[in-house]
Amino acid sequence: MVTLDRPVVVRRGAGPAPRPTRRASLWIGLAAGLVAYVGAGVPSYWGDEAASVLSAQRSWESLTAELSTVDAVHGLYYALLHVWIDLFGSSEWSTRAPSAIGIGFLAAGVVVLGRRWYDARTAILAGVLIPLIPRAGVLAVEARGYALAAAAAVWVTVLFVHIVDRGSGRVIWVLYGVAVAAGGTLFLYLLLMPMVHAAWLFTWRTFHGRVARRWIGSMLIAAVLAAPIILAASTQRGQVAFLAHRGYMSPRGWFVTPWFAHPAPAALLLPLLVIGVLVVVRRRRSIPGALPTLVWLLAPAAVLVVLDVFVSPTYNPRYLSISLGAVALLISSGAWALVDVAQRLGVRGGALAGASLIAISAVVLVPEFVHQRTPFAKDGAADGRAVAAEVAARSDPGDTILFGTGTRPSRAPRLIYRLYPEAFAGLEDPQLITPAEQTDGLWDRMDVVSDLAPTLDDGTVWLLETGSSGSAEDDIAALLRAGFTQVSRTDVHRTIVYEFQKGTS
């Protein structure tokens, strides 16, 4: 039988976490944020980050127009990033910093919550594990709102537990309702976190009396305040129709991709997660957080799957980032359970088990962490910065730059021009019809190369294509028909840079 080091006794009116735990949460959170930020500026931007960065660089009026038709569910994050870019610039190092900070807050919150729901050793190991869990490692170096959402999921739960423990008054309950609505505005599926809080309330107060009534009142406040984002998400749900064609609704999409990214990390962490689930189920009467942690792990996934099956395409493994806190706590519980079993065989057995877990984790998780921070790590080898450098090194002022339009918008080579504009300074851009910031959509409106080619003057033309498929063959044929000669082809990584010339010696 597996056991924790000592049972945690459920008691009413528990006070705040001891000072050593609060200090540990501070230092672990700081360390996790710093570790998560390592290499944050190395990978090139990819399409989803382009949506974030380019939206955040719009004027407030233009951003409002965009959110009225698309990406309303990311609007609060775009607004925060807008302010951040105004202060710190739009480089990868800058725009990804809030995500690394979010991972730091996530780790700190897991320590605080884990100490209350489990014990000190489970809480501390869970916090230490956060930046090494592959999904958290990816989110830390991505200019999207998921890391902040994961942190918000933990801290709104910490707030709720604190309110219940301390028997707080009406004002704090109102603030909790506001916090739930604000979280849902940051990331829609944070509105599922009250399911976790209901599980804790059931465990702690068995749903009776003043506490239950005030929680229900807070939920009514949250529902009213979150109504606009729910309505916006409903009207814009067609934006995620592409999820139906991504293959996410599969065993790998359910059990591997959401938190472990690839099979190798999953082979280590998924068994520990399962052991952790078995431990908390077996010891549910002595682990206060057993039921809410299981709800936190399972309920968001179940809701997304049900919505995907019966309403519209909804399921995306990244959306389950809000459950990272539960994943870390359960993996930690599983790891300590193995150590406890080994210790039953003797002190050396426990030490050997702990050392073995650390060694295996280093071999499996560190390479994954490093890979996430390589230049072409994003979205199947996004290579925007390398392409921009190639064009900047070889082009001259007055040359023309063209872009293939035959791929999906998030992989359009045009995004390289928008994300790294300094590399294209002095080049002619005849393909642009309407810049995105003058529309209510996400992307620039572009002419196609085949229509534009006959109108081009003599000189050098640079053509960027995403691979050799899509519009590449038609675009090359159009330039050849217009009298241009292909001079070179450079396969950067995912993007191909073609050089054409006409009328030059």
Side-chain angles (χ1 to χ4, degrees):
M1 182 177 72
V2 294
T3 61
L4 299 177
D5 59 341
R6 61 179 182 276
V8 180
V9 180
V10 179
R11 62 193 187 278
R12 293 174 181 263
R19 284 188 178 180
T21 302
R22 292 202 296 267
R23 287 198 296 270
S25 70
L26 174 64
W27 288 111
I28 289 174
L30 179 61
L34 291 174
V35 169
Y37 192 57
V38 170
V42 175
S44 291
Y45 280 130
W46 70 290
D48 279 17
E49 290 184 294
S52 297
V53 174
L54 298 180
S55 295
Q57 290 179 307
R58 292 179 178 226
S59 68
W60 290 111
E61 181 181 2
S62 177
L63 179 58
T64 301
E66 174 194 330
L67 299 179
S68 69
T69 63
V70 68
D71 265 6
V73 292
H74 300 296
L76 179 56
Y77 173 70
Y78 291 169
L80 295 173
L81 190 60
H82 180 109
V83 176
W84 184 271
I85 287 175
D86 284 347
L87 293 173
F88 303 108
S90 61
S91 71
E92 290 100 330
W93 286 104
S94 170
T95 58
R96 291 169 178 161
S99 294
I101 294 170
I103 294 300
F105 273 98
L106 170 61
V110 164
V111 175
V112 173
L113 190 61
R115 180 62 182 87
R116 179 64 187 86
W117 279 2
Y118 290 81
D119 53 29
R121 68 174 189 168
T122 303
I124 289 172
L125 179 58
V128 170
L129 283 172
I130 283 291
L132 295 178
I133 295 175
R135 175 59 62 185
V138 169
L139 299 183
V141 291
E142 192 157 274
R144 296 295 276 173
Y146 299 112
L148 296 178
V154 173
W155 281 103
V156 75
T157 305
V158 170
L159 172 63
F160 179 76
V161 170
H162 176 80
I163 291 172
V164 173
D165 282 352
R166 298 297 291 269
S168 303
R170 290 188 179 89
V171 172
I172 302 301
W173 280 103
V174 170
L175 291 177
Y176 162 71
V178 172
V180 170
T185 305
L186 175 65
F187 180 64
L188 181 66
Y189 296 112
L190 282 174
L191 294 175
L192 299 174
M193 288 306 295
M195 299 171 66
V196 180
H197 305 161
W200 172 247
L201 195 60
F202 179 80
T203 299
W204 188 241
R205 298 285 187 179
T206 63
F207 268 111
H208 68 80
R210 182 178 60 185
V211 172
R213 290 194 299 272
R214 288 186 174 176
W215 180 75
I216 293 171
S218 296
M219 291 300 92
L220 292 175
I221 292 171
V224 171
L225 295 178
I229 194 64
I230 295 172
L231 178 61
S234 176
T235 58
Q236 296 180 8
R237 65 182 182 275
Q239 184 185 352
V240 292
F242 68 90
L243 294 176
H245 311 291
R246 293 294 174 84
Y248 293 148
M249 288 284 286
S250 65
R252 177 166 181 166
W254 297 329
F255 301 113
V256 175
T257 313
W259 305 298
F260 312 126
H262 299 111
L268 169 67
L269 296 178
L270 186 56
L272 291 176
L273 176 64
V274 172
I275 293 171
V277 169
L278 296 176
V279 168
V280 300
V281 169
R282 183 179 180 85
R283 300 194 56 82
R284 59 191 178 278
R285 294 183 179 178
S286 60
I287 300 176
L291 179 60
T293 307
L294 293 175
V295 171
W296 192 1
L297 174 71
L298 300 174
V303 169
L304 289 177
V305 168
V306 169
L307 288 175
D308 196 287
V309 172
F310 295 105
V311 181
S312 66
T314 302
Y315 185 80
N316 186 329
R318 287 194 297 164
Y319 296 168
L320 298 182
S321 302
I322 61 173
S323 298
L324 274 169
V327 171
L329 288 168
L330 291 169
I331 289 174
S332 177
S333 295
W336 282 119
L338 290 182
V339 172
D340 287 343
V341 169
Q343 282 183 330
R344 288 165 126 52
L345 305 175
V347 176
R348 290 184 179 179
L352 179 61
S356 298
L357 282 174
I358 293 172
I360 295 171
S361 298
V363 170
V364 175
L365 299 181
V366 172
E368 179 71 20
F369 181 91
V370 172
H371 172 73
Q372 293 166 353
R373 288 152 175 80
T374 52
F376 308 122
K378 298 290 185 183
D379 190 35
D383 54 4
R385 192 188 313 109
V387 172
E390 177 74 14
V391 173
R394 297 176 57 192
S395 63
D396 294 313
D399 289 354
T400 297
I401 185 74
L402 299 177
F403 308 93
T405 54
T407 188
R408 64 177 186 250
S410 64
R411 289 191 173 184
R414 174 72 181 183
L415 297 180
I416 301 171
Y417 178 91
R418 295 301 308 268
L419 291 167
Y420 305 96
E422 63 282 353
F424 300 89
L427 300 187
E428 299 295 328
D429 177 28
Q431 207 170 351
L432 177 65
I433 297 174
T434 309
E437 53 269 25
Q438 295 179 18
T439 75
D440 59 2
L442 277 172
W443 315 115
D444 292 341
R445 292 175 181 167
M446 306 286 294
D447 201 350
V448 295
V449 172
S450 57
D451 290 343
L452 190 65
T455 69
L456 296 176
D457 295 330
D458 292 357
T460 300
V461 169
W462 301 93
L463 172 65
L464 306 188
E465 296 281 354
T466 303
S468 299
S469 58
S471 63
E473 292 184 1
D474 291 340
D475 295 343
I476 292 169
L479 287 169
L480 294 176
R481 286 196 303 271
F484 286 89
T485 300
Q486 181 178 327
V487 175
S488 67
R489 166 183 168 148
T490 304
D491 293 63
V492 177
H493 206 70
R494 186 172 72 190
T495 306
I496 301 174
V497 180
Y498 295 94
E499 180 185 5
F500 292 86
Q501 291 184 0
K502 176 182 175 184
T504 58
S505 57

